[in-house]
Amino acid sequence: MIASLYYLILLLVTSYLVFNVLYLFLSAVAGRVGKADDSLPVQGTLRRIAVLIPAYKEDSVILGSVVANLKQSYPAEWYDLIVIADSFQPETLEQLATYPIKIIPVEFEQSTVQKSIRFALNALPENYYDIIVISDADNHMATDFLQRINQAFEKGWKAIQGHRVAKNTNTSVAIFDAMNEEVNNNLFRAGQRALGLSATLIGSGMGFEPTVMKRAMNQIQTVSGYDKELEMLLLIEGIKIGYLHKAFIFDEKVQNIAVFERQRTRWTAAQVYFIKEYFAIGMNQLTRGNIHAFNALLKSLLLPRTLLLVAVCLLFFVNLVIYNPAFLVFSAGLIGVLSFSLAMSIPLYLWRKISISDFMVLPQLILSMMRTLLNFKQAGKKFLHTPHTETSESQQETA
């Protein structure tokens, strides 16, 4: 009886891991062979764009980001940078006021990104802007970013995700974080679009039709990871999300273990919240034929890839101990397929940056990810801010 129960549990765990690995493999291959939704950024109809930059205590990076983001090739009179300044120092606000931007000071009892965005959306003049773009305080848009976003709306998109890439790879942690970003881009944006599915939102570098976004943002309740909930609300409404592989926005990658763990704890909390709140809704959407909303639920059920790699390795060692030759070969195959899927999703320019010494940080990253499973509940109640520092690296390698 005990042996039967043991093998039943092993079968269930194996089945779940197989689902994870096959989903990632299919998405990885599709991302490499498929095409995104880019088109040449020709001068078509000019749309008025509001670039919302929610920023919480980001005094150290906001000025550099404003300077970088004012260098758009898109006509200056057709876009506004709007800094949503939460808990900024008075001197920072004074410096920001010297630039041709708009500033919306906010202060909340409990600050979150979605609260800042929602406040700004409700404060904007009605029917004035045609596109709302979201950029993080540390993000630097490529000079043609808004031009490419505008072109996507020319093609009829109402929600679009740009290609977020690393602004810095100055530490081992930052390199692995940059790799993780590009793996996500291949699996959940390029890969999803190649399969005919909606792209996954990532929290910044996104463009929306204003009324669509405002309607969705006013429904969001989560403390962390608002992008997952925003994505699901759009899909329920029947609005599919496109992906622009050539619309680059440069994002600061975390540079040490402590910040990495803090950020991943917030992401884990967001994933758990999403599953609890939207599991039944996602299943209901499947019965209505909304495969895009159901797929958003499926993605939320995937293990974080670091933990998935640990899990399939543990499965291999369990089968090695009990010595079941068939399961041993099968679990080894899972490790191979997963490793291949992740490796092919990482662009060559990042492989060139990594060294043997960088791999020494991997055990710490794995332990850090495992600790997030113990600490994620705190992020579900209080927003865990990821601090940023000004970085300066060449941004031409990804183009």
Side-chain angles (χ1 to χ4, degrees):
M1 180 66 179
I2 295 177
S4 298
L5 181 60
Y6 170 80
Y7 279 107
L8 177 61
I9 293 173
L10 184 61
L11 180 62
L12 290 175
V13 170
T14 302
S15 299
Y16 174 63
L17 296 180
V18 168
F19 156 68
N20 276 261
V21 172
L22 290 184
Y23 190 103
L24 297 186
F25 174 73
L26 182 61
S27 298
V29 173
R32 280 290 171 240
V33 303
K35 292 182 179 180
D37 301 298
D38 298 275
S39 59
L40 291 174
V42 297
Q43 193 72 288
T45 302
L46 289 174
R47 292 166 179 78
R48 196 169 295 279
I49 303 176
V51 181
L52 300 185
I53 308 175
Y56 174 72
K57 294 184 178 181
E58 298 285 13
D59 302 77
S60 63
V61 300
I62 193 63
L63 295 174
S65 294
V66 165
V67 171
N69 290 327
L70 285 171
K71 297 177 180 178
Q72 289 294 300
S73 58
Y74 201 69
E77 64 273 20
W78 284 91
Y79 77 94
D80 291 317
L81 294 186
I82 304 174
V83 176
I84 312 166
D86 187 351
S87 305
F88 273 30
Q89 297 297 320
E91 53 268 30
T92 305
L93 294 175
E94 290 176 9
Q95 289 179 286
L96 284 173
T98 65
Y99 292 96
I101 65 172
K102 298 180 185 297
I103 306 167
I104 301 179
V106 297
E107 189 172 338
F108 305 104
E109 185 176 340
Q110 183 183 30
S111 295
T112 64
V113 174
Q114 55 270 30
K115 284 182 182 178
S116 290
I117 294 174
R118 184 162 57 233
F119 184 94
L121 285 172
N122 291 322
L124 294 180
E126 292 287 341
N127 303 317
Y128 183 72
Y129 293 104
D130 304 300
I131 304 173
I132 301 293
V133 166
I134 304 297
S135 175
D136 277 347
D138 63 294
N139 287 174
H140 293 183
M141 297 181 290
T143 55
D144 64 349
F145 184 81
L146 294 183
Q147 198 174 351
R148 290 183 177 277
I149 292 289
N150 184 68
Q151 185 62 25
F153 276 73
E154 184 82 6
K155 293 173 62 178
W157 289 99
K158 291 185 177 181
I160 202 80
Q161 174 65 60
H163 185 172
R164 202 169 76 175
V165 294
K167 187 170 66 174
N168 63 296
T169 50
N170 54 325
T171 68
S172 298
V173 175
I175 290 174
F176 282 113
D177 198 18
M179 287 183 164
N180 181 67
E181 185 87 272
E182 288 290 27
V183 168
N184 281 334
N185 285 327
N186 188 57
L187 296 175
F188 301 124
R189 281 166 273 286
Q192 300 288 294
R193 292 300 301 126
L195 293 170
L197 298 167
S198 180
T200 303
L201 293 178
I202 199 172
S204 70
M206 313 176 291
F208 304 96
E209 194 277 322
T211 57
V212 164
M213 187 185 191
K214 186 175 179 180
R215 190 161 55 243
M217 289 300 298
N218 283 329
Q219 300 178 58
I220 290 177
Q221 299 297 323
T222 183
V223 173
S224 302
Y226 79 97
D227 49 330
K228 291 181 181 293
E229 196 166 358
L230 173 59
E231 178 184 332
M232 178 60 97
L233 291 170
L234 293 175
L235 296 176
I236 290 172
E237 199 172 324
I239 297 169
K240 195 160 68 171
I241 302 160
Y243 172 58
L244 302 180
H245 186 74
K246 296 181 180 178
F248 293 108
I249 184 165
F250 298 91
D251 176 72
E252 182 184 322
K253 298 294 100 185
V254 297
Q255 300 176 51
N256 60 67
I257 297 291
V259 177
F260 175 89
E261 184 172 330
R262 187 180 181 89
Q263 184 187 69
R264 265 48 180 193
T265 300
R266 189 177 76 241
W267 290 0
T268 301
Q271 185 172 354
V272 172
Y273 168 86
F274 183 87
I275 294 171
K276 288 168 60 179
E277 294 295 320
Y278 286 94
F279 184 85
I281 294 173
M283 296 301 293
N284 180 260
Q285 288 295 309
L286 176 62
T287 65
R288 298 184 179 190
N290 189 343
I291 191 66
H292 302 290
F294 176 68
N295 183 56
L297 172 63
L298 283 184
K299 289 183 293 184
S300 73
L301 298 176
L302 297 172
L303 274 175
R305 284 173 302 283
T306 305
L307 297 181
L308 178 59
L309 194 56
V310 170
V312 294
C313 288
L314 285 176
L315 180 66
F316 174 81
F317 285 115
V318 167
N319 286 311
L320 187 62
V321 170
I322 65 175
Y323 196 67
N324 185 319
F327 274 102
L328 187 63
V329 172
F330 184 77
S331 55
L334 280 183
I335 295 174
V337 172
L338 177 59
S339 300
F340 175 76
S341 302
L342 300 181
M344 73 181 301
S345 296
I346 299 171
L348 186 59
Y349 82 93
L350 284 175
W351 282 119
R352 289 171 177 160
K353 287 181 177 290
I354 201 164
S355 64
I356 296 297
S357 61
D358 291 320
F359 282 98
M360 301 301 291
V361 81
L362 264 181
Q364 297 178 63
L365 292 177
I366 292 171
L367 288 174
S368 183
M369 279 299 303
M370 296 179 75
R371 283 196 297 267
T372 66
L373 299 177
L374 303 175
N375 301 325
F376 73 87
K377 287 186 177 180
Q378 62 177 307
K381 300 176 182 178
K382 181 179 180 181
F383 177 67
L384 299 181
H385 175 240
T386 302
H388 298 104
T389 57
E390 193 60 70
T391 58
S392 178
E393 286 189 30
S394 171
Q395 299 172 348
Q396 303 304 313
E397 295 172 274
T398 57

